Structures are given as C-alpha cells and as structure tokens.
Amino acid sequence: MEMIQNIGRVLSVRGSVVDAEFSQRIPAIRSKLTTGKDNSIIIEVAAHIGIDRVRGIALNSTTGLERGAPVISHQEGFQVPVGEGTLGRVFNVFGETIDGLENAVPEKTWPIHREPVPVAQRVTKTEIFETGIKAIDLLTPLERGGKTGLFGGAGVGKTVLITEMIHNTLKQYQGVSIFCGIGERSREAEELYREIQEAGVLDKIAMVFGQMNEVPGARFRVGKAAITMAEYFRDEAQRDVLLLVDNIFRFIQAGTEVSGLMGKLPSRVGYQPTLATEIAELEERICTTVNGSITSIQAVYVPADDFTDPSATHVFPHLSAAIVLSRKKAGEGLYPAIDPLRSNSKMLTPKIVGRRHYLVAGEIRKTLALYDELKDMIAMLGLEELSLEDRKIVRRARQLERYLTQPFFTTEHFTGLAGKLVPLEDALTGCERILGDELAEYGEKRLYMIGRIDEALEARTEEG
C-alpha cells in the first residue's frame, strides 16, 4: 500500500499551473501530488520555487480547485501498468483503461520516468525490418531495433502510412506492439482501434492515448507512459517490441505549452529552451539490448512544410531512417507520397542490404534526380526537344514513379482498390525490369497502383 508522506496546501491556481506549500519535507521533482474533490486532480511537481514551495503541472482539469485546498504528496511518481495484461487494452496517461472493458489489468506497475539503457549494454543489429511497402523497403529500409521518422506537413498521409504499417507488420511480427497517440483526434483513435480489431490482431497490441482535447501535461507525459510499457516487454519478457508513435510534434507542442505555463522564456521560433533535452529524454530510451529490441516508427508533423523548423531538425539526429512525405507527390496522386530524393536510411549500404539492392536503389535515385533536372526544360521546350537518351530517362523515371505507388489495405473503402503487400524481392525485380527497358512499350498508367510488376504484364496479356 502506498504511504502518504505529507500534506500541504494550494497557494495559487493559474490554469494547469498549481503552486503548493508544504510545512514538512518538500516533494521531489516529478513526484505525484493529488488534490481537489476525492483527490481527483493529479499534479506532477515541475519545480521548487522556495524552501517549502513547489510548482506543479496538472495532468487533468483543475476546475473547482481553490486556494487553501489540501494537497497530498505521494511517495513516488507516476506509474503505469505493465505486462501481458496490457495487450488488447487502451489506456490514458495515468494507466487507466478507457476502452470500456471490465477485464482487470495487471497490478504490476513501473514508473514512467526511467533512465535510458547505458551505452555499454546496448546491442547494434543490422537486420532489416520489412513493411511490404515498395517505396520504403527499396529506398529507405527500416532497421529492426532502430527509429524511423515519417516527416510531412498536414494532409500528406503520415497517419495513413503509419496505419498501413501497423496492418502489414502486426500479422507477420512475432513480438508485441505498443501504439502511442500523442495529441490524437478522438475520431482517429476510434478508427484505429476498430481497424486493429477487425484485422484480428488486437491481442498483440497495447494502445496509449493522450488526446488532443486533454491538458498539455497529459500530452507531454503520454509518450513516456508508452515507452515504459515497451521497456517491460523488452527487459523483463525479453521480447521484440514495435513502438508506433503518432505524433512526435504534438509531444513537442505540449512541451512548449508546459514551458510557457511555467513562465520560461521561449527560444527560437517560440519553442521551449529545453526542446533538445526533452526529445533526447524520450528518444534515448528507445534502443536494443541483449534481451530484446524496440523498433520505433514515429510520425512527425512538419509545420508549414519547413524542414528547417527546430521541431524537425532536433528529431532527425536520433533516427536511423527518415521518410519524407511530399505535398507535390500527394497533389499528383502518387501515394504513398514519399519523396525518394529527400528520404534516407542508414541501412542502405552494400554490407547490410546486399550489393544488388544497393545498386538498384542508387540507380532509381539517379534516374529520378536526372528527371527532376529535366523538368524545367520539358516545361519550356517540350519532351520532343530532348535527346533520345534523355527521353529514355524521362520514360523510366515516370514508370518508376508510378510503380512505386501502391494501393493500401487501410484505404480500400476510399479508393475501391484492393490493398497489396509486396515482398522486397518482387519490388527489386520490378524496378530492375523498368531500368533495363523491358517495359519500354508499356504505358506508364499500367504501372500505377499495382503490387508486383507481373500485374502490369498480366493486364496487357488480357487486353491483347
């Protein structure tokens, strides 16, 4: 049973910021306080502002809280349930279930604030994590046990892509999965829960949400709650974990709000001065040990499509792969709208992916880059004015752009196209055949929204 250390009183309430005074021992930073009716208002100590005073951030609404109200200081910080019983359930930042089910969750809990694994205990693996999405597996292969970022502005398909990855990987993935929704819309959370339930893989995933309408303190801490659940499966259950986060920018945004509430002077572009530290505290806990791995796929909203924004530049260094989504590609209907020239992966080396994969990916990028350079000339003079070799490059590039599109399982009800999962070997073969001019007589439309290259050949045979 939890021991109560001491009782103080509320000095002031300013929105989510609560100042309290304690006559006995002052509570530690990041410790838990409760106050209000039935102790329903939960506060985390954020700073000491005197020898007997603390300033805390409320993680739920402070409505009805008044000056002089008693504040209980607890022995420990926030904890969340961990273990097999969390699978198939939906939690909030406090570790309380919000899915309406009555089944009990595990009594074992871990604190959400934990130190990262020391560097000496980490293991570096060079194994590829396949997604079944051609553009990703070919040009930005993911690292098993690594961190991948999906970067893009509003409306370019980050959430759709991360949902498709959940669909494609959960059935073939032998470990467990944790989904963390930071600043998620309630509509998105409900749709994702329903899709996972219909796919029959709900028993392999735990979901944690800090929704958009919640106070900034809750959105700021929900990421750590999800990582704590993932760490238990890695360290104690010795299993591989797939951690999906949507959206890291909402975590940064919540941190900015908390910093402003605390009265800290803003840094560049209005972000909190502790931006780099807060991102590092979250990202450095995601790693691989001898017991198991945590593979993370994170959506990152890029404000106004500005990739020099501090929120994006501070996330980039922590990643092993960065998938950049392009508004221009989305406007052309090329989905997934991945920009192959701006996306990159540290895994794309001959020693890791193999010489064949490395050379094909390099040739794809070279062809698309040359086509990008020729676009201005085509716009001014027309395709007919190009040399024969340049026209071949344009044809290959346009065929590659369309072949790298793919119908998704999670968008079937929007597009009417059946979803396709494409093994890496088939994707490589298709690109090799395009680059080798084997499909020179095929119209580029035949390659749009297909899976394997054979589908284009079969369609032509049927028409013939």
Side-chain angles (χ1 to χ4, degrees):
M1 186 176 177
E2 191 182 61
M3 293 177 62
I4 296 174
Q5 293 180 323
N6 57 355
I7 298 176
R9 65 185 182 91
V10 172
L11 291 178
S12 66
V13 182
R14 300 184 306 281
S16 293
V17 179
V18 179
D19 290 355
E21 181 183 51
F22 290 84
S23 58
Q24 301 178 38
R25 188 154 65 96
I26 192 168
I29 299 289
R30 292 181 171 175
S31 62
K32 174 182 172 183
L33 310 178
T34 54
T35 185
K37 186 179 180 181
D38 300 325
N39 289 320
S40 58
I41 298 173
I42 302 173
I43 301 165
E44 183 178 78
V45 176
H48 291 159
I49 56 174
I51 58 171
D52 58 353
R53 297 183 179 187
V54 297
R55 178 164 292 163
I57 296 290
L59 273 68
N60 51 7
S61 175
T62 56
T63 302
L65 183 61
E66 57 187 21
R67 291 176 63 187
V71 182
I72 300 173
S73 171
H74 296 262
Q75 186 176 353
E76 53 196 11
F78 288 94
Q79 303 209 356
V80 290
V82 294
E84 297 288 337
T86 60
L87 298 177
R89 304 304 303 271
V90 184
F91 299 89
N92 61 14
V93 67
F94 306 115
E96 301 166 344
T97 55
I98 54 173
D99 50 16
L101 302 177
E102 295 182 356
N103 299 340
V105 295
E107 294 182 1
K108 187 169 185 178
T109 60
W110 274 17
I112 66 169
H113 297 292
R114 307 180 73 240
E115 289 297 316
V117 175
V119 175
Q121 296 176 21
R122 300 189 183 197
V123 174
T124 304
K125 292 184 180 178
T126 53
E127 189 181 346
I128 298 301
F129 184 85
E130 278 196 41
T131 65
I133 299 171
K134 289 180 287 191
I136 293 176
D137 293 341
L138 272 170
L139 301 173
T140 55
L142 310 189
E143 178 189 8
R144 187 178 290 274
K147 295 185 277 282
T148 301
L150 304 178
F151 292 84
V156 294
K158 295 183 301 298
T159 299
V160 171
L161 193 54
I162 207 167
T163 307
E164 184 70 7
M165 286 188 185
I166 292 171
H167 183 280
N168 289 3
T169 57
L170 281 191
K171 286 186 178 179
Q172 61 181 346
Y173 192 63
Q174 299 304 310
V176 298
S177 301
I178 310 289
F179 180 87
C180 177
I182 306 175
E184 282 277 279
R185 300 169 184 87
S186 56
R187 169 187 60 79
E188 292 173 337
E190 188 273 332
E191 286 175 359
L192 180 64
Y193 180 81
R194 187 157 26 88
E195 284 172 8
I196 291 172
Q197 196 172 36
E198 289 171 0
V201 290
L202 189 61
D203 61 335
K204 294 176 67 177
I205 186 168
M207 306 174 77
V208 191
F209 288 102
Q211 290 173 196
M212 191 175 277
N213 63 313
E214 295 184 36
V215 296
R219 287 180 274 122
F220 190 48
R221 288 299 182 226
V222 71
K224 290 195 172 184
I227 290 175
T228 300
M229 291 182 179
E231 285 174 329
Y232 175 85
F233 284 110
R234 180 195 64 193
D235 299 338
E236 296 295 318
Q238 299 189 357
R239 299 174 69 178
D240 290 338
V241 185
L242 178 61
L243 175 65
L244 304 126
V245 184
D246 188 11
N247 185 305
I248 288 292
F249 177 77
R250 304 296 177 202
F251 163 76
I252 295 168
Q253 195 176 46
T256 304
E257 293 178 50
V258 168
S259 179
L261 290 168
M262 293 294 294
K264 295 179 182 177
L265 288 174
S267 183
R268 191 159 65 98
V269 200
Y271 289 107
Q272 63 270 41
T274 52
L275 173 64
T277 305
E278 289 167 3
I279 293 174
E281 282 181 353
L282 196 73
E283 297 285 2
E284 288 303 307
R285 288 173 62 181
I286 304 170
C287 65
T288 299
T289 69
V290 291
N291 296 322
S293 66
I294 299 179
T295 303
S296 176
I297 300 171
Q298 310 167 10
V300 187
Y301 167 71
V302 180
D305 294 335
D306 179 12
F307 286 85
T308 63
D309 190 274
S311 63
T313 57
H314 282 86
V315 175
F316 270 118
H318 295 280
L319 306 174
S320 56
I323 300 169
V324 177
L325 301 180
S326 160
R327 191 171 301 283
K328 186 178 179 183
K329 295 275 185 188
E332 294 171 358
L334 300 174
Y335 290 102
I338 295 170
D339 187 336
L341 301 179
R342 298 174 74 184
S343 304
N344 64 82
S345 171
K346 294 175 183 176
M347 296 294 101
L348 196 58
T349 65
K351 288 185 177 179
I352 297 173
V353 298
R355 184 169 177 79
R356 178 195 175 203
H357 184 167
Y358 176 75
L359 292 175
V360 170
E363 195 62 31
I364 292 170
R365 280 212 171 95
K366 178 183 173 184
T367 304
L368 294 174
L370 289 170
Y371 174 49
D372 208 45
E373 292 173 4
L374 291 169
K375 281 181 179 177
D376 288 340
M377 192 180 297
I378 294 168
M380 288 187 293
L381 304 175
L383 188 62
E384 296 75 16
E385 297 300 317
L386 298 180
S387 67
L388 183 61
E389 189 57 40
D390 282 348
R391 272 184 273 175
K392 285 182 179 178
I393 289 169
V394 171
R395 187 195 67 244
R396 290 176 201 139
R398 289 182 66 84
Q399 285 185 331
L400 284 168
E401 280 184 336
R402 279 141 189 82
Y403 179 61
L404 291 175
T405 62
Q406 189 168 337
F408 283 174
F409 293 96
T410 52
T411 58
E412 285 180 0
H413 52 295
F414 295 120
T415 63
L417 300 171
K420 302 286 173 64
L421 191 147
V422 184
L424 176 59
E425 180 62 30
D426 290 343
L428 281 169
T429 301
C431 289
E432 283 176 331
R433 297 180 74 172
I434 291 170
L435 292 166
D437 289 336
E438 288 185 39
L439 286 84
E441 297 180 5
Y442 286 67
E444 59 195 42
K445 287 184 179 179
R446 294 181 187 277
L447 300 169
Y448 180 68
M449 284 295 170
I450 63 171
R452 297 173 296 106
I453 198 75
D454 293 342
E455 292 176 32
L457 307 178
E458 290 163 5
R460 174 150 183 170
T461 304
E462 289 171 7
E463 288 177 11

